[in-house]
Amino acid sequence: MDKIKRTQILSVFEGSIYNGFFLITQGFLGTGLALEFGASEPVIALLGVLPTISQFVQLLAPAMMRLIGNRKRAMMIFATISRLSTAFIPVTLAVGMNRQSILLMIMAFFSMAASLTGNFWVSLMKDVAPREKAAKFFSSRNIIFTITNMLITLFYSFVLDAVPGTRGFFIISVLGTISALFSLVLLGFHYDPPREITYGRGLFRAVTKDRKFMPYLVFYAFWSFSIAITSPFFSYHELVNMKLGYSFLSILNVFSSLLTMVFYFIWGKIADRIGSQAVLEFGVFGAFIKIILWVFMNEQTVYLLYVDTLIGTISWSAINLCLFTTMLDLLDGVNTESYYALLSFANGGAALVGSLAGGFLASYLNRFGWEILGMRFYGIQILFFVTFVLRGLSLFLLRRVKTRKERSVAGMIFNSAAVIANRLAARPREMVDILVQLNRKRKKGRSDVDEKDD
């Protein structure tokens, strides 16, 4: 097996195992951990988007690359720092130092180191991933991630229900730390294809003058803002206002994960055929539409969660895959680290503003509640309507990006349906033509036999 192929396979195992820790910091598990540390609404909002906010440090990536001189060595240095920092979470829980300021400090340190790791990893994977079938490769990789994430989330959720409180979070954080350290070992076996280091002065200025890339940067930053303003509060609303259990939420996650695997496979094939941006636009549209359900989500309308999970899974599988592959389309033939660093900086800045705004708005709005026609509404649901509007504006910005887009997903579905319908309509006529041709051949065969008899 050659080194490129081996690294492709290793990247799948490494990412799956690494998520054993990362999942603890995200979604309802991350919100539960924050509540265990006594976090307030603004701190919960900040913790939810720390991985994005920490991308501010991406501007240091060019300098780090010049200093270290090798992207794999740079990746391993920062990966070691980020993975080792995960051990502080179970330690603080064990000694009773579960305060929000300590959790915020640990996660900030972890996220900044992980962000720099990600910069060098993206650069390396751009040279490792197959060029012609990038979407198919990353969709297959994401399918494996989905399976492992589903099983890990399910296991962690049952642990937390069986061992509630600090002890439960201590157990899953220990397991998460072991996962993070094991993933570090696998990362060390990645192959770094040789290439010329092109870091120099003025590269960021060149990025900002790139008319093809800048519309994507604007979209990406605004999309991050629209997500960050409410992202932690969906889980908060489920756990605190709707009083749903971890096991129930994990079962929903299983349903979502199974559906995600199917759609990663579908979107991977479609994106390679019609372009990643077309699939991304479809995903953003779905994520925009589904938010309106959350305006009416409460204890009486738990069934809406099933509809939200269905639409959200279809949409977010497209977004998670094609947000990355659309970026790779724009990074072809350019200095990847500088472009990705500036994109990450803009992304982090937008997420920081969004999380701070969302956190303070949530802490204010959460004081209010009212009933309309017997239906309970919470102040935090106003934020859900705000993000509905912002996501709609994000879709408008995305359509200004220019990459390979042969047709839209809706157009492809319509054309396929039209072809099938025309085919079905033509079949009766085709059958008549076939019968006529068979009859002619039969008559011709008979005439040939008569001639031979004569």
Side-chain angles (χ1 to χ4, degrees):
M1 184 185 300
D2 67 7
K3 294 178 180 179
I4 295 287
K5 188 68 177 177
R6 186 187 68 189
T7 301
Q8 291 174 2
I9 295 171
L10 279 174
S11 73
V12 175
F13 284 100
E14 184 274 326
S16 298
I17 294 169
Y18 169 71
N19 280 339
F21 172 78
F22 191 68
L23 285 172
I24 297 173
T25 69
Q26 301 297 303
F28 64 87
L29 292 174
T31 302
L33 179 66
L35 291 172
E36 190 60 38
F37 275 78
S40 62
E41 286 89 349
V43 173
I44 290 173
L46 200 55
L47 286 168
V49 294
L50 256 182
T52 309
I53 294 172
S54 63
Q55 292 179 6
F56 271 129
V57 300
Q58 292 280 358
L59 288 185
L60 299 175
M64 293 295 103
M65 189 66 171
R66 281 197 299 269
L67 180 65
I68 298 169
N70 178 280
R71 62 182 171 182
K72 182 178 178 181
R73 193 181 304 124
M75 178 180 71
M76 291 305 299
I77 288 171
F78 291 105
T80 301
I81 294 170
S82 67
R83 266 55 162 188
L84 288 176
S85 68
T86 64
F88 287 98
I89 292 179
V91 169
T92 55
L93 289 171
V95 299
M97 295 176 62
N98 47 335
R99 293 193 290 273
Q100 64 175 9
S101 58
I102 293 176
L103 180 63
L104 189 60
M105 189 184 308
I106 295 170
M107 290 309 303
F109 192 77
F110 163 79
S111 298
M112 285 189 289
S115 180
L116 285 169
T117 304
N119 182 293
F120 305 118
W121 180 87
V122 168
S123 174
L124 188 149
M125 286 306 297
K126 182 175 176 291
D127 294 337
V128 167
R131 239 169 226 248
E132 300 299 323
K133 299 288 184 180
K136 184 179 179 181
F137 167 72
F138 285 107
S139 70
S140 300
R141 185 172 180 268
N142 286 355
I143 287 171
I144 303 298
F145 282 11
T146 303
I147 296 171
T148 55
N149 290 358
M150 174 182 66
L151 296 175
I152 292 168
T153 302
L154 195 60
F155 175 69
Y156 283 174
S157 299
F158 283 119
V159 168
L160 292 175
D161 280 338
V163 189
T166 303
R167 287 178 60 201
F169 279 103
F170 171 76
I171 292 170
I172 66 171
S173 61
V174 168
L175 295 173
T177 298
I178 294 170
S179 297
L181 295 176
F182 187 41
S183 74
L184 177 64
V185 175
L186 293 181
L187 205 60
F189 288 102
H190 280 42
Y191 171 61
D192 181 10
R195 55 140 221 182
E196 182 183 355
I197 298 177
T198 56
Y199 276 114
R201 308 296 178 185
L203 282 172
F204 286 134
R205 194 179 305 116
V207 176
T208 57
K209 291 181 179 179
D210 190 331
R211 295 183 180 179
K212 186 179 178 182
F213 181 77
M214 286 306 293
Y216 182 76
L217 185 145
V218 172
F219 153 73
Y220 201 104
F222 193 83
W223 174 250
S224 295
F225 173 79
S226 69
I227 296 301
I229 201 169
T230 51
S231 60
F233 298 111
F234 296 111
S235 297
Y236 180 91
H237 187 57
E238 290 170 331
L239 292 171
V240 177
N241 295 335
M242 298 175 69
K243 298 178 175 59
L244 300 175
Y246 289 108
S247 296
F248 173 78
L249 294 175
S250 69
I251 290 169
L252 266 184
N253 182 71
V254 169
F255 169 70
S256 174
S257 298
L258 293 172
L259 196 60
T260 295
M261 287 186 284
V262 175
F263 275 93
Y264 271 143
F265 177 76
I266 293 172
W267 294 138
K269 284 186 170 293
I270 292 176
D272 282 331
R273 181 179 171 187
I274 67 173
S276 292
Q277 185 180 339
V279 176
L280 179 58
E281 287 179 4
F282 183 84
V284 171
F285 177 74
F288 155 65
I289 291 296
K290 87 178 190 76
I291 290 299
I292 204 67
L293 296 172
W294 284 88
V295 177
F296 304 97
M297 196 85 71
N298 57 35
E299 303 97 314
Q300 300 166 287
T301 57
V302 175
Y303 61 87
L304 289 178
L305 272 176
Y306 298 105
V307 182
D308 171 75
T309 301
L310 176 63
I311 300 173
T313 299
I314 295 170
S315 303
W316 278 101
S317 57
I319 294 169
N320 291 336
L321 173 64
C322 294
L323 200 63
F324 185 72
T325 53
T326 299
M327 177 190 71
L328 290 184
D329 287 342
L330 292 164
L331 295 182
D332 190 31
V334 301
N335 184 278
T336 304
E337 292 87 355
S338 294
Y339 274 71
Y340 187 68
L342 191 59
L343 179 70
S344 299
F345 178 79
N347 185 32
L352 175 61
V353 174
S355 64
L356 291 176
F360 286 111
L361 282 172
S363 63
Y364 174 74
L365 293 171
N366 214 29
R367 305 171 190 171
F368 304 102
W370 59 91
E371 286 191 10
I372 300 176
L373 299 175
M375 182 176 285
R376 178 73 174 169
F377 289 90
Y378 297 88
I380 204 170
Q381 289 172 287
I382 295 173
L383 269 183
F384 300 151
F385 182 77
V386 170
T387 198
F388 169 75
V389 175
L390 294 174
R391 291 186 188 191
L393 293 173
S394 297
L395 181 60
F396 170 76
L397 293 173
L398 175 58
R399 286 179 173 166
R400 296 174 58 194
V401 178
K402 303 299 179 186
T403 62
R404 181 179 73 89
K405 187 174 71 170
E406 296 183 10
R407 64 170 74 99
S408 67
V409 173
M412 188 194 72
I413 294 171
F414 177 79
N415 289 343
S416 300
V419 168
I420 293 170
N422 289 337
R423 185 71 176 171
L424 290 173
R427 278 182 178 175
R429 187 173 58 199
E430 290 175 355
M431 185 58 69
V432 172
D433 292 340
I434 290 170
L435 290 173
V436 169
Q437 290 175 13
L438 286 173
N439 190 47
R440 286 175 179 172
K441 287 181 179 179
R442 194 180 301 113
K443 287 181 178 179
K444 184 178 180 182
R446 285 177 181 174
S447 62
D448 290 341
V449 170
D450 291 341
E451 288 177 2
K452 286 180 181 179
D453 291 340
D454 293 341

